[in-house]
């Protein structure tokens, strides 16, 4: 974030700048002391900084180094495979679900004129019912913890005689949750578009499905791209839940390494750094995309729309909000 | 469905434990998140850097890693999170005082993780207040604290409610992870125990557990939707 982050301060004058300098130095020293006494010293006293514990992870000369990183690399690949599969399937299924929900909603509003009265009532009832069912499914799967979804998939599918590799349980569990979230992101994106878009599409004779597919969906994707990318970060983070069903991802490998070398703090620090680097770059990408989009929007001179709930945090922190 | 009725006390007990951990974690995360948010909007650069680092680290880590740190790192440092045994609190929430520290470990992890998101929600609220408002207040001669109290914070609070709510909902769902980390008796762990160890039929147990979580998450979500709609109109 740049210097002027807040609405609370003026641009500092000379006196304010001096005060800032002095307090910065004071606070900086206090923070360094705190870091030494609260983090470095306890770690050192417990011998957690010894090369014996760190060596296998950071010293290429160590006898265990190559083996440890072989395993970690394998785990990280496994994580990426699970993440890629889940992302792909939840994007595809989420898009389909969003289209389905939009179609059912508009169907439920239709009067079905031109048909005989009982038939039109039947059709209206049916489409309302279907719309309600999809709504309930979305709410249920959105309200359940992902851990439980994965756990239920891994425990439940074998009961029906369907058994896969643990990878697929993880992917299915993650997909169920994330496709619902992505569907909601896209749906709110489509509903946030100006009404004239759909009306214009109808006026040139496109069917409702064509309107969604050719007019609404592409724009929703564009508007919602930052939210979608943040959701991808979430998927990547959530693959770490594979440990509850013994999927051999990064964390499970880490657990095995710790079992042999008994260095939990060191190994998890390395894992943490790996996750932070990958996810941080992805969120930077999301921010970059958002800035690009914001620029495009300004030139196109379209009115800003209400930020949907899913994108609210991202949008508000990007400094918008002036009505 | 008999499993649900016969083992109602297990479900109710699990619900209660989950509710306790969520309540404590929400309070802790709101306090810590507010502190980090103050760091992030403070005029002192080192404090801002600390706040930013905190948010970057915890937003990009999976909660699982944070839990592992808490559950395996703290014992390696010789701590079992005794500082959470606050005299009055641990008589109210008995699990805080027990000798099996996993409840406290899970609590620490949840608070640390959620605080980063709480901070972002609060900060987004402050940033959503238009600069002109604060400038007008300053030009009227309001001091910094008056400005904050009468002009900025009321509006920031309004803009932050909905994101804060979604953060809390996410936290309730995240708390399920605690059950897989050895917090005995919460809802997620009951599911594991009833189906794996005691061999009850899977589907009724799954339904029971799901209802337990949905009771906590769906009404909150509906409430937030309504709030959001109202705010959208008010804007």
């Amino acid at each position: 974030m740049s210097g002027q982050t807040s609405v609370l301060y003026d641009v500092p004058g000379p006196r304010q700048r001096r005060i800032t300098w002095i307090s910065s130095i004071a606070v900086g020293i206090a923070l360094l002391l705190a870091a030494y006494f609260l983090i470095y010293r306890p770690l050192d006293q417990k011998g957690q900084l010894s090369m014996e514990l760190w060596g296998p992870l950071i010293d290429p000369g160590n006898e265990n180094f190559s083996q440890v990183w072989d395993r970690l690399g394998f785990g990280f690949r496994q994580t990426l495979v699970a993440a890629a599969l889940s992302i792909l399937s939840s994007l595809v299924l989420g898009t389909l679900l969003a289209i389905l929900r939009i179609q059912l909603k508009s169907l439920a509003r239709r009067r079905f004129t031109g048909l005989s009265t009982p038939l039109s009532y039947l059709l209206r009832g049916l489409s309302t019912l279907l719309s309600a069912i999809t709504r309930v499914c979305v709410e249920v799967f959105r309200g359940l913890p992902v851990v439980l979804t994965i756990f239920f998939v891994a425990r439940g599918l074998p009961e029906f005689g369907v058994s896969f590799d643990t990878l697929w349980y993880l992917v299915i569990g993650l997909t169920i949750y994330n496709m619902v979230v992505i569907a909601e992101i896209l749906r709110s994106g489509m509903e946030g578009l100006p009404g004239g878009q759909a009306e214009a599409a109808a006026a040139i004779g496109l069917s409702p499905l064509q309107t969604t597919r050719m007019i609404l969906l592409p724009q929703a994707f564009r508007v919602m791209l930052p939210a979608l990318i943040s959701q991808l970060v979430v998927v990547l983070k959530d693959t770490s839940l594979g440990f509850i069903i013994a999927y051999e991802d990064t964390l499970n490998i880490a657990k095995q390494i710790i079992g042999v070398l008994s260095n939990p703090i060191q190994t998890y620090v390395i894992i943490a750094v790996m996750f932070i680097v990958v996810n941080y770059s992805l969120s930077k990408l999301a921010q970059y995309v958002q800035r690009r989009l914001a620029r495009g929007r300004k030139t196109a001179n379209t009115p800003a729309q209400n930020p949907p709930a899913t994108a609210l945090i991202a949008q508000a922190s990007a400094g918008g909000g002036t009505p | 469905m008999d499993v649900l009725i016969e083992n109602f006390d297990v479900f109710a007990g699990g619900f209660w434990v989950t509710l306790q951990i969520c309540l404590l974690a929400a309070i802790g995360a709101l306090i810590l998140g507010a502190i980090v948010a103050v760091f992030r909007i403070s005029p002192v650069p080192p404090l801002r850097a600390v706040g930013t680092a905190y948010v970057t680290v915890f937003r990009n880590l999976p909660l699982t890693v944070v839990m592992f740190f808490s559950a395996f790192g703290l014992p390696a440092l010789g701590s079992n999170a005794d500082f959470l045994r606050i005299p009055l609190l641990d008589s109210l929430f008995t699990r805080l005082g027990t000798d099996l520290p996993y409840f406290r470990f899970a609590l620490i992890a949840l608070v640390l993780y959620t605080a980063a998101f709480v901070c972002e929600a609060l900060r987004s609220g402050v940033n959503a207040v238009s600069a002109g408002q604060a400038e007008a207040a300053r030009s009227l001669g309001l001091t910094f604290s008056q400005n904050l109290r009468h002009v900025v914070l009321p509006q920031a609070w309004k803009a932050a409610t909905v994101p804060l709510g979604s953060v809390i909902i996410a936290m309730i769902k995240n708390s399920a992870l605690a059950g897989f980390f050895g917090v005995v008796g919460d809802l997620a762990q009951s599911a594991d125990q009833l189906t794996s160890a005691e061999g009850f039929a899977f589907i009724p147990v799954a339904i029971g557990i799901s209802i337990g979580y949905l009771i906590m998450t769906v009404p909150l979500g509906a409430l937030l939707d309504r709030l959001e709609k109202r705010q959208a109109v008010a804007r």
Side-chain angles (χ1 to χ4, degrees), chain A residues 1-3 5-10 16 20 23-25 27-28 31 42-43 46 48 135 139-148 151-153 155-157 159-160 177 233 236-238 240-241 243-244 251 255 264-265 268-269 271-273 275-277 279-280 283 287 306-310 312-313 316-323, chain B residues 40-48 50 56-65 68-69 72-73 76-78 113 117 120-121 123-131 134-135 138 144 147-148 152 159 162-163 166-167 172-174 176-177 180-181 188 191-192 195-196 200-203 205-206 209-210 213-214 217-218 225 228 232 235:
Chain A
M1 294 294 118
S2 62
T5 45
S6 161
V7 295
L8 298 174
Y9 317 108
D10 275 317
Q16 186 61 43
T20 305
S23 55
S24 291
I25 292 168
V27 169
L31 284 174
L43 281 175
K46 293 284 170 192
Q48 293 293 341
R135 171 92 201 271
E139 289 296 338
V140 165
F141 288 124
R142 215 164 46 146
L144 271 186
V146 208
V147 205
L148 276 187
F151 176 71
F152 286 164
V153 167
R155 287 276 310 145
L157 283 186
E159 301 235 335
F160 296 104
Y177 176 75
V233 175
L236 191 57
K237 275 165 73 177
D238 281 353
S240 66
L241 298 175
F243 91 99
I244 62 159
L251 274 176
K255 222 160 87 181
I265 294 183
Y268 285 127
V269 166
I271 303 290
V273 170
F275 267 107
I276 290 171
V277 168
N279 289 339
Y280 186 68
S283 14
Q287 271 179 24
N306 293 330
T310 26
L312 205 67
I313 293 182
S317 66
T322 325
Chain B
R40 281 207 77 173
I41 58 175
S42 85
V44 185
L47 282 185
R48 272 212 300 270
V50 169
T56 308
V57 165
F58 282 99
R59 268 204 341 170
N60 291 311
L61 274 183
L63 176 61
T64 330
V65 174
F68 270 121
F69 258 118
F72 297 107
L77 286 175
Y113 182 76
F117 294 89
E120 286 307 90
R123 207 172 60 95
S124 76
V126 172
N127 280 348
V129 178
S130 73
E135 277 164 15
R138 271 203 303 271
F144 179 74
N147 185 354
L148 214 58
V152 176
V162 171
S166 10
V167 167
I172 293 174
K173 290 191 278 176
N174 284 336
L177 196 51
F180 293 96
F181 268 91
D192 198 13
T195 57
S196 305
F200 283 112
F202 169 75
I203 294 184
V205 174
I209 300 294
S210 309
Y213 277 101
L214 293 176
T217 52
V218 171
D225 273 353
E228 199 191 357
R235 243 182 214 196

Side-chain angles (χ1 to χ4, degrees), chain A:
Chain A
M1 294 294 118
S2 62
Q4 195 67 17
T5 45
S6 161
V7 295
L8 298 174
Y9 317 108
D10 275 317
V11 176
R15 180 163 167 271
Q16 186 61 43
R17 264 209 293 273
R18 208 159 50 236
I19 294 175
T20 305
W21 257 106
I22 293 168
S23 55
S24 291
I25 292 168
V27 169
I29 291 172
L31 284 174
L32 283 180
L33 283 179
Y36 176 75
F37 281 110
L38 294 178
I39 299 171
Y40 182 81
R41 218 174 56 154
L43 281 175
D44 199 31
Q45 272 171 354
K46 293 284 170 192
Q48 293 293 341
L49 297 175
S50 71
M51 224 28 207
E52 202 183 322
L53 293 176
W54 281 100
L57 293 165
I58 52 170
D59 173 22
N62 195 292
E63 50 184 329
N64 294 323
F65 181 83
S66 62
Q67 213 184 342
V68 162
W69 277 100
D70 263 3
R71 294 296 290 160
L72 277 183
F74 173 72
F76 208 61
R77 268 204 306 282
Q78 293 275 88
T79 298
L80 290 184
V81 167
L85 285 174
S86 318
I87 286 169
L88 207 68
S89 56
S90 39
L91 267 181
V92 172
L93 293 176
T95 311
L96 290 180
L97 186 61
I99 294 177
L100 183 71
R101 280 203 67 190
I102 288 275
Q103 293 304 311
L104 282 178
K105 246 184 165 173
S106 66
L107 211 61
R109 273 199 299 269
R110 247 175 88 173
R111 307 292 288 271
F112 297 105
T113 45
L115 295 169
S116 65
T117 324
L119 191 62
S120 78
Y121 271 108
L122 184 72
L123 282 176
R124 276 176 77 178
L126 202 65
S127 48
T128 315
L129 184 71
L130 278 177
S131 174
I133 289 175
T134 50
R135 171 92 201 271
V136 169
C137 283
V138 166
E139 289 296 338
V140 165
F141 288 124
R142 215 164 46 146
L144 271 186
V146 208
V147 205
L148 276 187
T149 314
I150 296 169
F151 176 71
F152 286 164
V153 167
R155 287 276 310 145
L157 283 186
E159 301 235 335
F160 296 104
V162 188
S163 56
F164 298 117
D165 220 24
T166 42
L167 167 69
W168 294 106
Y169 294 139
L170 181 61
V171 170
I172 294 173
L174 284 177
T175 304
I176 290 176
Y177 176 75
N178 286 295
M179 79 177 199
V180 170
V181 175
I182 287 177
E184 283 300 280
I185 292 177
L186 288 176
R187 192 184 58 82
S188 60
M190 286 194 261
E191 286 180 352
L193 290 172
Q197 299 279 344
E199 285 165 16
I204 57 170
L206 296 183
S207 73
L209 192 63
Q210 279 174 324
T211 308
T212 313
R213 190 166 55 85
M214 292 159 60
I215 310 289
L216 298 182
L217 201 58
Q219 294 188 77
F221 259 113
R222 204 186 108 125
V223 173
M224 287 311 192
L225 205 52
L228 285 175
I229 296 180
S230 339
Q231 193 57 34
L232 304 191
V233 175
V234 173
V235 176
L236 191 57
K237 275 165 73 177
D238 281 353
T239 47
S240 66
L241 298 175
F243 91 99
I244 62 159
I245 56 170
Y247 176 61
E248 287 222 305
D249 69 342
T250 321
L251 274 176
N252 239 323
I253 300 280
K255 222 160 87 181
Q256 295 165 9
I257 292 173
I258 291 162
V260 179
L261 300 173
S262 59
N263 53 351
I265 294 183
Q266 291 74 14
T267 309
Y268 285 127
V269 166
I270 298 288
I271 303 290
V273 170
M274 280 158 75
F275 267 107
I276 290 171
V277 168
V278 173
N279 289 339
Y280 186 68
S281 2
L282 272 179
S283 14
K284 277 283 151 208
L285 178 70
Q287 271 179 24
Y288 171 76
V289 168
Q290 188 171 19
R291 229 171 300 136
R292 287 286 305 252
L293 288 186
R295 218 164 48 204
R297 191 145 293 272
K298 229 175 273 165
T299 51
N301 203 16
T302 39
Q305 49 229 339
N306 293 330
T310 26
L312 205 67
I313 293 182
Q315 300 227 330
S317 66
T322 325

